[in-house]
Amino acid sequence: MTSQETQPGTELRSGREWFKSAVVYQIYPRSFADSDGDGVGDLRGIISRLDYLHNLGVDVVWLSPVYRSPQDDNGYDISDYQDIDPVFGDLAALDELLNGLHARGMKLVMDLVVNHTSDEHPWFVESASSRDNPKRDWYWWQPPRPGSEPGTPGAEPNNWGSAFSGPAWEYDPSSGEYYLHLFSKKQPDLNWENPEVRAAVYDMMNWWLDRGVDGFRMDVINFISKDPRLPEGPRAEGMLYGDGGPHYISGPRIHEFLQEMHQEVFAGRDKDLLTVGEMPGVTVEDALLFTDPSREEVDMVFQFEHVALDQEGGNKWRPKKLVLTDLKKSLGRWQDALGERGWNSLYWGNHDQARAVSRFGDDGRYRELSAKMLAAVLHLHRGTPYVYQGEELGMTNMAFGAISDYRDIEVLNHHREATTHLGHTDAEVLAALAPLNRDNARTPVQWDASRHGGFTTGAPWIAVNPNANTINAAAQIDDPESVYNFYRQVIALRHTDPVVAYGDFTMLLPEDEHVYAFRRSLPGAELLVLGNFSATVQPVDVGDAAWSGAASVLGNYPPGTGLTLRPWEVKVLRREL
Ligand code: NOJ
């Protein structure tokens, strides 16, 4: 989002907006760096690592929530949007971080969590205080199902399940009604139908932008418009609850709400800002509407199709092997759909996903090679790439032991529900949740080989991966062959080569089961990207002999085998036309 977009004649609407050549780095503050030895990462920990980020070359930092919060969902349950949780620091530290980033030419994007608040937010406390409180309608309150015994299973107003197990409704005995929570019961959903709610959110957003932040990553923003009739959802075989998604994913007023937000918050601001909507279940058709610059909604969205391909029926607790042709088909479709208008965001991982190298690469023998290959393949797509903390070091999934080693509410609730209501054994549940659980990505960043990976001098809130001895930043920063330095090269390429930032995308070899191949092109120059998603040698024929002699601009092996790919090799070739 740029000021120029709204000033006719200064920049093309689907032109070379600043974010097309930018790379975003996500910080999950709880696990990034701890400055005060309490075992939890904090703002001053981040401030102490700003040169590390600057050296990596990223343009923007997206900071997961640091607001006041009971931390039921690690900060995605906010009790005060305009203050910092003491565990992370204070507003002075936030300002210092902002200034430190700006001084180094980087931007700060805050997390915006406004589908729901904490149940400890004063808005909800008031709303819950009585049925005739003026804020009652700020949340979704409903009477029990007619004829049911309030507070007993089945008395909920509809059959929707929560994303964190159990029903999406919590009974409040004092008022005799239920409130809706699509996530934990400590995360009640705001009622965006109420214009006062929307105005309060826009005020808060303006307060942050006036303070100097550079935009927002908008948490589950395509869930804010619910069908006010709250109809029953389809219930799949073996599931305890219905899926309300059809009634709140990109719901009836979502485009209206985002356009209103744009007008009330972003329009007319004379500064380069970034808006990215996290949108589970978003379709390509809707994503095009959300990101078409002429509609003034958001700059880009996070879609979830490619991170659902390695699970049965989109159920992360039923993992299955990823088929490369499925991945290419999915990402290729998004590239095509948002090619002319709109814009993609590109990611392998974040704080909700397993570690990229463990999931899409090989975190054993070929860890470094496959981490580099994944970086190049992702970043050279058309779109804005996101690096999740530690990905640039090739950090891996964690082998957790017992359920007591986990911290994530999603994991803990699922384990309880599956063992108590679905008849699964502890061992079955632990095996099923190992590959894709969110705590894989939440172990602390591995800074050096010292105790707790240099993350904290205290006891970390979640265990540090034991491989911090060998996989850590200190070992990689000065090693030109490291994963970290490969990320530096890939990031730099987006800044220097307009083909990377703005070129067209063409998928090649869609049926190849091991090779990910594509071409990027602008008038005058082309790139060919070839990635081997296997541990075996792969001959490649893209049907154009001229590529054999093209210049190598990037690779994870010494060049020199023509187009044949060695295990987990990536080749990036360039030619002038
Ligand atoms: C998406 C966030 O990324 C996730 O961490 C959180 O649990 C849910 N939204 C609820 O806020």
Side-chain angles (χ1 to χ4, degrees), residues 217-247:
R217 172 272 187 186
M218 304 176 178
D219 191 71
V220 291
I221 201 70
N222 64 329
F223 290 7
I224 60 176
S225 167
K226 280 101 176 155
D227 179 341
R229 296 165 303 172
L230 305 170
E232 298 280 296
R235 189 159 67 88
E237 179 81 30
M239 300 301 282
L240 292 170
Y241 299 96
D243 173 12
H247 309 298

PDB file of all heavy atoms in Angstrom, residues 217-247:
ATOM      1  N   ARG A 217      -0.008  -7.075   9.885  1.00  0.00           N
ATOM      2  CA  ARG A 217      -0.349  -8.430   9.449  1.00  0.00           C
ATOM      3  C   ARG A 217      -1.644  -8.746  10.195  1.00  0.00           C
ATOM      4  O   ARG A 217      -1.705  -8.690  11.420  1.00  0.00           O
ATOM      5  CB  ARG A 217       0.781  -9.392   9.838  1.00  0.00           C
ATOM      6  CG  ARG A 217       0.479 -10.877   9.622  1.00  0.00           C
ATOM      7  CD  ARG A 217      -0.189 -11.498  10.836  1.00  0.00           C
ATOM      8  NE  ARG A 217      -0.335 -12.939  10.710  1.00  0.00           N
ATOM      9  CZ  ARG A 217      -0.991 -13.697  11.570  1.00  0.00           C
ATOM     10  NH1 ARG A 217      -1.569 -13.165  12.627  1.00  0.00           N
ATOM     11  NH2 ARG A 217      -1.072 -14.991  11.385  1.00  0.00           N
ATOM     12  N   MET A 218      -2.698  -9.026   9.450  1.00  0.00           N
ATOM     13  CA  MET A 218      -4.033  -9.080  10.044  1.00  0.00           C
ATOM     14  C   MET A 218      -4.452 -10.529  10.295  1.00  0.00           C
ATOM     15  O   MET A 218      -4.744 -11.281   9.362  1.00  0.00           O
ATOM     16  CB  MET A 218      -5.020  -8.397   9.098  1.00  0.00           C
ATOM     17  CG  MET A 218      -4.601  -6.972   8.768  1.00  0.00           C
ATOM     18  SD  MET A 218      -5.738  -6.246   7.565  1.00  0.00           S
ATOM     19  CE  MET A 218      -5.035  -4.605   7.429  1.00  0.00           C
ATOM     20  N   ASP A 219      -4.503 -10.870  11.554  1.00  0.00           N
ATOM     21  CA  ASP A 219      -4.800 -12.233  11.996  1.00  0.00           C
ATOM     22  C   ASP A 219      -6.211 -12.666  11.563  1.00  0.00           C
ATOM     23  O   ASP A 219      -7.187 -11.945  11.810  1.00  0.00           O
ATOM     24  CB  ASP A 219      -4.709 -12.239  13.530  1.00  0.00           C
ATOM     25  CG  ASP A 219      -4.725 -13.618  14.127  1.00  0.00           C
ATOM     26  OD1 ASP A 219      -3.738 -14.336  13.976  1.00  0.00           O
ATOM     27  OD2 ASP A 219      -5.746 -13.976  14.755  1.00  0.00           O
ATOM     28  N   VAL A 220      -6.300 -13.847  10.979  1.00  0.00           N
ATOM     29  CA  VAL A 220      -7.585 -14.433  10.506  1.00  0.00           C
ATOM     30  C   VAL A 220      -8.610 -13.355  10.103  1.00  0.00           C
ATOM     31  O   VAL A 220      -9.774 -13.411  10.485  1.00  0.00           O
ATOM     32  CB  VAL A 220      -8.199 -15.431  11.516  1.00  0.00           C
ATOM     33  CG1 VAL A 220      -7.348 -16.685  11.606  1.00  0.00           C
ATOM     34  CG2 VAL A 220      -8.404 -14.862  12.908  1.00  0.00           C
ATOM     35  N   ILE A 221      -8.150 -12.434   9.285  1.00  0.00           N
ATOM     36  CA  ILE A 221      -8.990 -11.270   9.000  1.00  0.00           C
ATOM     37  C   ILE A 221     -10.186 -11.645   8.125  1.00  0.00           C
ATOM     38  O   ILE A 221     -11.201 -10.941   8.138  1.00  0.00           O
ATOM     39  CB  ILE A 221      -8.157 -10.122   8.382  1.00  0.00           C
ATOM     40  CG1 ILE A 221      -8.858  -8.774   8.546  1.00  0.00           C
ATOM     41  CG2 ILE A 221      -7.795 -10.394   6.937  1.00  0.00           C
ATOM     42  CD1 ILE A 221      -8.907  -8.256   9.946  1.00  0.00           C
ATOM     43  N   ASN A 222     -10.084 -12.762   7.397  1.00  0.00           N
ATOM     44  CA  ASN A 222     -11.256 -13.159   6.589  1.00  0.00           C
ATOM     45  C   ASN A 222     -12.311 -13.906   7.408  1.00  0.00           C
ATOM     46  O   ASN A 222     -13.255 -14.440   6.852  1.00  0.00           O
ATOM     47  CB  ASN A 222     -10.838 -13.994   5.370  1.00  0.00           C
ATOM     48  CG  ASN A 222     -10.216 -15.320   5.744  1.00  0.00           C
ATOM     49  OD1 ASN A 222      -9.569 -15.434   6.783  1.00  0.00           O
ATOM     50  ND2 ASN A 222     -10.396 -16.332   4.900  1.00  0.00           N
ATOM     51  N   PHE A 223     -12.161 -13.906   8.759  1.00  0.00           N
ATOM     52  CA  PHE A 223     -13.194 -14.509   9.618  1.00  0.00           C
ATOM     53  C   PHE A 223     -14.093 -13.442  10.257  1.00  0.00           C
ATOM     54  O   PHE A 223     -15.001 -13.769  11.005  1.00  0.00           O
ATOM     55  CB  PHE A 223     -12.565 -15.308  10.768  1.00  0.00           C
ATOM     56  CG  PHE A 223     -11.871 -16.597  10.385  1.00  0.00           C
ATOM     57  CD1 PHE A 223     -11.674 -16.974   9.064  1.00  0.00           C
ATOM     58  CD2 PHE A 223     -11.406 -17.456  11.375  1.00  0.00           C
ATOM     59  CE1 PHE A 223     -11.019 -18.167   8.743  1.00  0.00           C
ATOM     60  CE2 PHE A 223     -10.755 -18.646  11.061  1.00  0.00           C
ATOM     61  CZ  PHE A 223     -10.561 -19.004   9.743  1.00  0.00           C
ATOM     62  N   ILE A 224     -13.830 -12.160   9.993  1.00  0.00           N
ATOM     63  CA  ILE A 224     -14.521 -11.124  10.788  1.00  0.00           C
ATOM     64  C   ILE A 224     -15.981 -10.925  10.394  1.00  0.00           C
ATOM     65  O   ILE A 224     -16.749 -10.395  11.179  1.00  0.00           O
ATOM     66  CB  ILE A 224     -13.778  -9.755  10.750  1.00  0.00           C
ATOM     67  CG1 ILE A 224     -13.651  -9.219   9.321  1.00  0.00           C
ATOM     68  CG2 ILE A 224     -12.417  -9.854  11.449  1.00  0.00           C
ATOM     69  CD1 ILE A 224     -13.014  -7.822   9.245  1.00  0.00           C
ATOM     70  N   SER A 225     -16.352 -11.323   9.192  1.00  0.00           N
ATOM     71  CA  SER A 225     -17.760 -11.172   8.798  1.00  0.00           C
ATOM     72  C   SER A 225     -18.459 -12.521   8.863  1.00  0.00           C
ATOM     73  O   SER A 225     -18.236 -13.400   8.024  1.00  0.00           O
ATOM     74  CB  SER A 225     -17.852 -10.602   7.383  1.00  0.00           C
ATOM     75  OG  SER A 225     -19.172 -10.744   6.895  1.00  0.00           O
ATOM     76  N   LYS A 226     -19.303 -12.682   9.883  1.00  0.00           N
ATOM     77  CA  LYS A 226     -20.049 -13.941  10.037  1.00  0.00           C
ATOM     78  C   LYS A 226     -21.449 -13.787   9.466  1.00  0.00           C
ATOM     79  O   LYS A 226     -22.028 -12.686   9.519  1.00  0.00           O
ATOM     80  CB  LYS A 226     -20.180 -14.306  11.520  1.00  0.00           C
ATOM     81  CG  LYS A 226     -18.929 -14.955  12.113  1.00  0.00           C
ATOM     82  CD  LYS A 226     -18.089 -14.036  12.914  1.00  0.00           C
ATOM     83  CE  LYS A 226     -16.910 -14.700  13.568  1.00  0.00           C
ATOM     84  NZ  LYS A 226     -15.811 -13.769  13.844  1.00  0.00           N
ATOM     85  N   ASP A 227     -22.006 -14.887   8.980  1.00  0.00           N
ATOM     86  CA  ASP A 227     -23.426 -14.881   8.625  1.00  0.00           C
ATOM     87  C   ASP A 227     -24.205 -14.694   9.930  1.00  0.00           C
ATOM     88  O   ASP A 227     -24.156 -15.569  10.804  1.00  0.00           O
ATOM     89  CB  ASP A 227     -23.777 -16.217   7.954  1.00  0.00           C
ATOM     90  CG  ASP A 227     -25.255 -16.296   7.580  1.00  0.00           C
ATOM     91  OD1 ASP A 227     -26.059 -15.511   8.137  1.00  0.00           O
ATOM     92  OD2 ASP A 227     -25.594 -17.153   6.747  1.00  0.00           O
ATOM     93  N   PRO A 228     -24.900 -13.567  10.084  1.00  0.00           N
ATOM     94  CA  PRO A 228     -25.528 -13.278  11.387  1.00  0.00           C
ATOM     95  C   PRO A 228     -26.579 -14.303  11.812  1.00  0.00           C
ATOM     96  O   PRO A 228     -26.929 -14.370  12.975  1.00  0.00           O
ATOM     97  CB  PRO A 228     -26.180 -11.905  11.169  1.00  0.00           C
ATOM     98  CG  PRO A 228     -25.654 -11.378   9.889  1.00  0.00           C
ATOM     99  CD  PRO A 228     -25.153 -12.532   9.082  1.00  0.00           C
ATOM    100  N   ARG A 229     -27.013 -15.134  10.875  1.00  0.00           N
ATOM    101  CA  ARG A 229     -27.991 -16.181  11.268  1.00  0.00           C
ATOM    102  C   ARG A 229     -27.305 -17.360  11.955  1.00  0.00           C
ATOM    103  O   ARG A 229     -27.957 -18.237  12.488  1.00  0.00           O
ATOM    104  CB  ARG A 229     -28.753 -16.666  10.032  1.00  0.00           C
ATOM    105  CG  ARG A 229     -29.615 -15.579   9.389  1.00  0.00           C
ATOM    106  CD  ARG A 229     -30.039 -15.982   7.999  1.00  0.00           C
ATOM    107  NE  ARG A 229     -28.868 -16.265   7.165  1.00  0.00           N
ATOM    108  CZ  ARG A 229     -28.916 -16.792   5.942  1.00  0.00           C
ATOM    109  NH1 ARG A 229     -30.055 -17.137   5.411  1.00  0.00           N
ATOM    110  NH2 ARG A 229     -27.787 -16.999   5.266  1.00  0.00           N
ATOM    111  N   LEU A 230     -25.951 -17.410  11.871  1.00  0.00           N
ATOM    112  CA  LEU A 230     -25.152 -18.445  12.531  1.00  0.00           C
ATOM    113  C   LEU A 230     -25.669 -19.860  12.248  1.00  0.00           C
ATOM    114  O   LEU A 230     -25.963 -20.632  13.186  1.00  0.00           O
ATOM    115  CB  LEU A 230     -25.109 -18.189  14.046  1.00  0.00           C
ATOM    116  CG  LEU A 230     -24.613 -16.796  14.470  1.00  0.00           C
ATOM    117  CD1 LEU A 230     -24.835 -16.574  15.966  1.00  0.00           C
ATOM    118  CD2 LEU A 230     -23.137 -16.611  14.122  1.00  0.00           C
ATOM    119  N   PRO A 231     -25.795 -20.232  10.974  1.00  0.00           N
ATOM    120  CA  PRO A 231     -26.370 -21.549  10.650  1.00  0.00           C
ATOM    121  C   PRO A 231     -25.454 -22.707  11.083  1.00  0.00           C
ATOM    122  O   PRO A 231     -24.264 -22.519  11.268  1.00  0.00           O
ATOM    123  CB  PRO A 231     -26.477 -21.529   9.118  1.00  0.00           C
ATOM    124  CG  PRO A 231     -26.213 -20.124   8.702  1.00  0.00           C
ATOM    125  CD  PRO A 231     -25.388 -19.494   9.781  1.00  0.00           C
ATOM    126  N   GLU A 232     -26.034 -23.886  11.239  1.00  0.00           N
ATOM    127  CA  GLU A 232     -25.249 -25.096  11.514  1.00  0.00           C
ATOM    128  C   GLU A 232     -24.213 -25.303  10.412  1.00  0.00           C
ATOM    129  O   GLU A 232     -24.436 -24.927   9.255  1.00  0.00           O
ATOM    130  CB  GLU A 232     -26.165 -26.333  11.509  1.00  0.00           C
ATOM    131  CG  GLU A 232     -27.240 -26.343  12.555  1.00  0.00           C
ATOM    132  CD  GLU A 232     -26.743 -26.765  13.932  1.00  0.00           C
ATOM    133  OE1 GLU A 232     -26.304 -27.919  14.064  1.00  0.00           O
ATOM    134  OE2 GLU A 232     -26.805 -25.944  14.867  1.00  0.00           O
ATOM    135  N   GLY A 233     -23.080 -25.949  10.768  1.00  0.00           N
ATOM    136  CA  GLY A 233     -22.068 -26.263   9.764  1.00  0.00           C
ATOM    137  C   GLY A 233     -22.034 -27.751   9.470  1.00  0.00           C
ATOM    138  O   GLY A 233     -22.513 -28.554  10.282  1.00  0.00           O
ATOM    139  N   PRO A 234     -21.481 -28.150   8.317  1.00  0.00           N
ATOM    140  CA  PRO A 234     -21.384 -29.575   7.995  1.00  0.00           C
ATOM    141  C   PRO A 234     -20.473 -30.304   8.992  1.00  0.00           C
ATOM    142  O   PRO A 234     -19.457 -29.760   9.404  1.00  0.00           O
ATOM    143  CB  PRO A 234     -20.763 -29.571   6.592  1.00  0.00           C
ATOM    144  CG  PRO A 234     -20.114 -28.229   6.435  1.00  0.00           C
ATOM    145  CD  PRO A 234     -20.864 -27.280   7.308  1.00  0.00           C
ATOM    146  N   ARG A 235     -20.872 -31.504   9.370  1.00  0.00           N
ATOM    147  CA  ARG A 235     -20.045 -32.268  10.316  1.00  0.00           C
ATOM    148  C   ARG A 235     -19.454 -33.491   9.611  1.00  0.00           C
ATOM    149  O   ARG A 235     -20.183 -34.329   9.099  1.00  0.00           O
ATOM    150  CB  ARG A 235     -20.868 -32.719  11.522  1.00  0.00           C
ATOM    151  CG  ARG A 235     -19.991 -33.328  12.619  1.00  0.00           C
ATOM    152  CD  ARG A 235     -20.693 -33.286  13.959  1.00  0.00           C
ATOM    153  NE  ARG A 235     -21.861 -34.148  13.999  1.00  0.00           N
ATOM    154  CZ  ARG A 235     -21.813 -35.432  14.331  1.00  0.00           C
ATOM    155  NH1 ARG A 235     -20.678 -36.012  14.669  1.00  0.00           N
ATOM    156  NH2 ARG A 235     -22.917 -36.156  14.339  1.00  0.00           N
ATOM    157  N   ALA A 236     -18.106 -33.553   9.570  1.00  0.00           N
ATOM    158  CA  ALA A 236     -17.447 -34.653   8.862  1.00  0.00           C
ATOM    159  C   ALA A 236     -17.418 -35.888   9.752  1.00  0.00           C
ATOM    160  O   ALA A 236     -17.466 -35.801  10.976  1.00  0.00           O
ATOM    161  CB  ALA A 236     -16.026 -34.248   8.487  1.00  0.00           C
ATOM    162  N   GLU A 237     -17.333 -37.039   9.077  1.00  0.00           N
ATOM    163  CA  GLU A 237     -17.203 -38.343   9.723  1.00  0.00           C
ATOM    164  C   GLU A 237     -16.109 -38.300  10.797  1.00  0.00           C
ATOM    165  O   GLU A 237     -15.010 -37.814  10.552  1.00  0.00           O
ATOM    166  CB  GLU A 237     -16.806 -39.326   8.598  1.00  0.00           C
ATOM    167  CG  GLU A 237     -16.595 -40.750   8.995  1.00  0.00           C
ATOM    168  CD  GLU A 237     -17.935 -41.495   9.104  1.00  0.00           C
ATOM    169  OE1 GLU A 237     -18.871 -41.127   8.375  1.00  0.00           O
ATOM    170  OE2 GLU A 237     -18.003 -42.411   9.938  1.00  0.00           O
ATOM    171  N   GLY A 238     -16.416 -38.771  11.976  1.00  0.00           N
ATOM    172  CA  GLY A 238     -15.398 -38.860  13.031  1.00  0.00           C
ATOM    173  C   GLY A 238     -15.142 -37.550  13.754  1.00  0.00           C
ATOM    174  O   GLY A 238     -14.295 -37.492  14.643  1.00  0.00           O
ATOM    175  N   MET A 239     -15.848 -36.483  13.379  1.00  0.00           N
ATOM    176  CA  MET A 239     -15.638 -35.198  14.048  1.00  0.00           C
ATOM    177  C   MET A 239     -16.742 -34.976  15.083  1.00  0.00           C
ATOM    178  O   MET A 239     -17.898 -35.356  14.857  1.00  0.00           O
ATOM    179  CB  MET A 239     -15.652 -34.045  13.039  1.00  0.00           C
ATOM    180  CG  MET A 239     -14.580 -34.138  11.964  1.00  0.00           C
ATOM    181  SD  MET A 239     -12.912 -34.166  12.622  1.00  0.00           S
ATOM    182  CE  MET A 239     -12.688 -32.437  12.989  1.00  0.00           C
ATOM    183  N   LEU A 240     -16.368 -34.375  16.190  1.00  0.00           N
ATOM    184  CA  LEU A 240     -17.352 -34.140  17.251  1.00  0.00           C
ATOM    185  C   LEU A 240     -18.230 -32.930  16.960  1.00  0.00           C
ATOM    186  O   LEU A 240     -19.356 -32.842  17.447  1.00  0.00           O
ATOM    187  CB  LEU A 240     -16.635 -33.919  18.588  1.00  0.00           C
ATOM    188  CG  LEU A 240     -15.901 -35.127  19.175  1.00  0.00           C
ATOM    189  CD1 LEU A 240     -15.053 -34.704  20.357  1.00  0.00           C
ATOM    190  CD2 LEU A 240     -16.904 -36.203  19.587  1.00  0.00           C
ATOM    191  N   TYR A 241     -17.699 -31.983  16.162  1.00  0.00           N
ATOM    192  CA  TYR A 241     -18.421 -30.724  15.945  1.00  0.00           C
ATOM    193  C   TYR A 241     -18.554 -30.423  14.460  1.00  0.00           C
ATOM    194  O   TYR A 241     -17.827 -30.963  13.633  1.00  0.00           O
ATOM    195  CB  TYR A 241     -17.706 -29.569  16.664  1.00  0.00           C
ATOM    196  CG  TYR A 241     -17.644 -29.813  18.143  1.00  0.00           C
ATOM    197  CD1 TYR A 241     -16.514 -30.378  18.718  1.00  0.00           C
ATOM    198  CD2 TYR A 241     -18.749 -29.542  18.944  1.00  0.00           C
ATOM    199  CE1 TYR A 241     -16.482 -30.658  20.081  1.00  0.00           C
ATOM    200  CE2 TYR A 241     -18.726 -29.815  20.306  1.00  0.00           C
ATOM    201  CZ  TYR A 241     -17.587 -30.377  20.867  1.00  0.00           C
ATOM    202  OH  TYR A 241     -17.562 -30.660  22.198  1.00  0.00           O
ATOM    203  N   GLY A 242     -19.442 -29.491  14.147  1.00  0.00           N
ATOM    204  CA  GLY A 242     -19.622 -29.056  12.774  1.00  0.00           C
ATOM    205  C   GLY A 242     -18.566 -28.028  12.388  1.00  0.00           C
ATOM    206  O   GLY A 242     -17.901 -27.437  13.253  1.00  0.00           O
ATOM    207  N   ASP A 243     -18.417 -27.807  11.092  1.00  0.00           N
ATOM    208  CA  ASP A 243     -17.462 -26.833  10.576  1.00  0.00           C
ATOM    209  C   ASP A 243     -18.242 -25.558  10.228  1.00  0.00           C
ATOM    210  O   ASP A 243     -18.988 -25.527   9.254  1.00  0.00           O
ATOM    211  CB  ASP A 243     -16.781 -27.425   9.341  1.00  0.00           C
ATOM    212  CG  ASP A 243     -15.891 -26.418   8.638  1.00  0.00           C
ATOM    213  OD1 ASP A 243     -15.622 -25.348   9.227  1.00  0.00           O
ATOM    214  OD2 ASP A 243     -15.470 -26.706   7.499  1.00  0.00           O
ATOM    215  N   GLY A 244     -18.024 -24.526  11.033  1.00  0.00           N
ATOM    216  CA  GLY A 244     -18.737 -23.267  10.770  1.00  0.00           C
ATOM    217  C   GLY A 244     -18.139 -22.466   9.626  1.00  0.00           C
ATOM    218  O   GLY A 244     -18.716 -21.464   9.189  1.00  0.00           O
ATOM    219  N   GLY A 245     -16.976 -22.932   9.125  1.00  0.00           N
ATOM    220  CA  GLY A 245     -16.229 -22.178   8.105  1.00  0.00           C
ATOM    221  C   GLY A 245     -17.079 -21.596   6.977  1.00  0.00           C
ATOM    222  O   GLY A 245     -16.944 -20.417   6.646  1.00  0.00           O
ATOM    223  N   PRO A 246     -17.962 -22.390   6.381  1.00  0.00           N
ATOM    224  CA  PRO A 246     -18.762 -21.845   5.282  1.00  0.00           C
ATOM    225  C   PRO A 246     -19.548 -20.601   5.679  1.00  0.00           C
ATOM    226  O   PRO A 246     -19.964 -19.831   4.811  1.00  0.00           O
ATOM    227  CB  PRO A 246     -19.712 -23.001   4.937  1.00  0.00           C
ATOM    228  CG  PRO A 246     -19.018 -24.229   5.434  1.00  0.00           C
ATOM    229  CD  PRO A 246     -18.187 -23.808   6.608  1.00  0.00           C
ATOM    230  N   HIS A 247     -19.745 -20.375   6.974  1.00  0.00           N
ATOM    231  CA  HIS A 247     -20.555 -19.243   7.424  1.00  0.00           C
ATOM    232  C   HIS A 247     -19.720 -18.074   7.966  1.00  0.00           C
ATOM    233  O   HIS A 247     -20.282 -17.072   8.383  1.00  0.00           O
ATOM    234  CB  HIS A 247     -21.578 -19.715   8.458  1.00  0.00           C
ATOM    235  CG  HIS A 247     -22.351 -20.899   7.983  1.00  0.00           C
ATOM    236  ND1 HIS A 247     -23.156 -20.841   6.862  1.00  0.00           N
ATOM    237  CD2 HIS A 247     -22.386 -22.182   8.414  1.00  0.00           C
ATOM    238  CE1 HIS A 247     -23.679 -22.048   6.652  1.00  0.00           C
ATOM    239  NE2 HIS A 247     -23.221 -22.876   7.576  1.00  0.00           N
TER     240      HIS A 247
END
